[in-house]
Amino acid sequence: MKTHTILMPLDMHLHLRDGVMLENVAPLTAFTYSGAIVMPNLVPPVDTLDAVKAYKERIMAAVPNDFFEPYMTLFYKNYDKEFLEHVADEITAVKLYPAGITTNSEGGVESFNIEEMRPTLQAMSDLGIPLCVHGETDGFVMDREAEFMSIYELLAKNFPDLKIIMEHITTKAAVDMLDKYPNLYATITVHHLLLTLDDVVGGMMMPHLFCKPIAKRPEDLDALLGLALEAHPKVMFGSDSAPHPQHKKESCGCAAGVFTAPISLQLLTEIFEQFGKLDNLQAFVSDNAQNIYGICPEFKEVTLEKRPFLVPENYAGVVPMYAGEVIGWAIESVD
């Protein structure tokens, strides 16, 4: 059988939730990944030093036997420099959500008034704290990310020393923006390397493929693939794996989020092999993130084998992407 090995894989955008859900899903990521950037949009949001420390403790309690580092983030508010200095050693980044644009983001930014945000963003620049951004407006759903490009430009121009991560990009507009400013970076999910909107709603609605930002057009998918497959040095893998209970997905008012944590490495390996780019997978799923964030993850060696793998129907009540379907690669060993 053909095999492929990845060293210290990193997931640079992950939702672990809390409580029983955290206990169920965190081990699935910790098994194969050396670390992950953990999103702070809980209820209430992670916006104090005590909340950061307590959440990290709960994560580590959920994965006691794995070599795994949760890189903690703070929910963006207009913090002062004194507070950011106090919390800097406990966080890897600050995550900014436009208010109400996605799950548990009601306390996010209402207006991108640069002067109101300047003290916080300048302090982050001075302290070397990256800003991770969910880049969508509240406009027409297919245009929300493209419309946000002007805000990325505003941030990049006003804070040239601030490292800005365009999270889970989905459009050619974001791909084109990446190299316009040296302080812009991006994460890309595995599902946005596989899906267009047609896969989600072109026939019957597929609730377990529905996420925000929504999958876009074929030309957007092609642009994302081009970026990821070449392992552009300013781009890294972030799954945006977002677990919801099955009844929240298969219901009126379907929750947004695709759960890929247990199969993301397998799917990425399949994609990169399909396009003859397996040699670039290591950079996309680990090396670029280490360089961008300046992190040294726990050593982990993951070997995948090219053989059929039947994706389980659910993991503790959470339905994964491609549930009940066969994919082409499987985890052989983790050392």
Side-chain angles (χ1 to χ4, degrees):
M1 286 287 186
K2 183 176 182 179
T3 62
H4 184 75
T5 298
I6 302 171
L7 300 178
M8 290 92 77
L10 294 167
D11 183 344
M12 303 309 287
H13 186 120
L14 178 67
H15 297 274
L16 288 176
R17 310 305 190 201
D18 212 344
V20 174
M21 181 66 82
L22 168 65
E23 295 170 3
N24 288 338
V25 304
L28 299 173
T29 291
F31 175 57
T32 49
Y33 286 88
S34 287
I37 291 276
V38 180
M39 295 296 108
N41 55 326
L42 305 184
V43 179
V46 180
D47 59 3
T48 68
L49 178 57
D50 286 345
V52 169
K53 289 182 174 180
Y55 190 28
K56 185 172 184 177
E57 288 177 2
R58 296 195 298 276
I59 294 169
M60 295 309 297
V63 292
N65 298 315
D66 292 289
F67 293 99
F68 175 76
E69 177 67 24
Y71 299 107
M72 305 306 293
T73 59
L74 194 70
F75 192 94
Y76 180 92
K77 293 183 177 179
N78 287 330
Y79 302 107
D80 60 32
K81 188 171 185 178
E82 181 180 4
F83 170 78
L84 289 170
E85 287 175 331
H86 188 52
V87 77
D89 289 343
E90 300 292 335
I91 63 172
T92 301
V94 173
K95 176 65 185 292
L96 186 155
Y97 294 91
I101 206 69
T102 191
T103 304
N104 299 337
S105 63
E106 288 72 20
V109 174
E110 295 278 358
S111 171
F112 285 85
N113 184 317
I114 285 294
E115 294 313 312
E116 289 182 3
M117 302 173 74
R118 187 173 296 280
T120 299
L121 296 179
Q122 189 57 56
M124 290 174 60
S125 297
D126 296 342
L127 296 168
I129 301 173
L131 177 69
C132 301
V133 182
H134 182 121
E136 290 190 287
T137 69
D138 60 357
F140 179 67
V141 69
M142 287 292 284
D143 298 332
R144 289 177 182 177
E145 183 173 284
E147 290 175 351
F148 202 88
M149 292 303 112
S150 61
I151 298 175
Y152 278 132
E153 289 202 88
L154 190 65
L155 294 170
K157 286 179 179 178
N158 276 272
F159 306 98
D161 296 324
L162 177 64
K163 193 168 285 185
I164 301 167
I165 317 297
M166 301 188 294
E167 294 292 346
H168 45 53
I169 62 172
T170 63
T171 58
K172 186 176 184 301
V175 171
D176 293 341
M177 177 63 65
L178 184 66
D179 285 325
K180 289 186 177 180
Y181 297 93
N183 56 332
L184 286 181
Y185 301 84
T187 60
I188 300 177
T189 76
V190 66
H191 53 279
H192 287 120
L193 293 176
L194 290 165
L195 305 174
T196 68
L197 187 59
D198 202 45
D199 296 299
V200 185
V201 295
M204 294 184 69
M205 169 66 180
M206 306 296 287
H208 298 290
L209 301 183
F210 171 63
C211 62
K212 289 185 178 179
I214 63 170
K216 301 298 193 303
R217 301 171 176 85
E219 56 266 33
D220 298 304
L221 174 60
D222 290 344
L224 295 174
L225 277 169
L227 206 60
L229 291 169
E230 294 304 324
H232 188 295
K234 295 177 75 178
V235 171
M236 51 199 154
F237 172 65
S239 71
D240 195 20
S241 181
H244 292 281
Q246 186 169 354
H247 72 274
K248 292 287 188 179
K249 292 292 292 181
E250 298 174 5
S251 66
C252 180
C254 171
V258 178
F259 183 55
T260 59
I263 58 168
S264 52
L265 275 184
Q266 299 95 305
L267 290 176
L268 285 170
T269 305
E270 189 168 15
I271 293 167
F272 276 67
E273 187 213 17
Q274 176 188 347
F275 288 93
K277 296 291 185 178
L278 266 179
D279 288 346
N280 291 342
L281 182 56
Q282 176 66 39
F284 179 66
V285 82
S286 183
D287 299 352
N288 288 354
Q290 292 182 54
N291 293 331
I292 291 167
Y293 276 97
I295 55 177
C296 297
E298 295 275 359
F299 181 81
K300 190 170 286 187
E301 183 178 84
V302 181
T303 301
L304 298 102
E305 184 176 62
K306 187 175 183 180
R307 60 177 167 83
F309 176 73
L310 178 63
V311 179
E313 293 288 348
N314 72 79
Y315 291 85
V318 182
V319 178
M321 183 177 179
Y322 295 156
E325 298 184 34
V326 175
I327 58 178
W329 285 77
I331 302 296
E332 180 187 32
S333 63
V334 180
D335 299 308

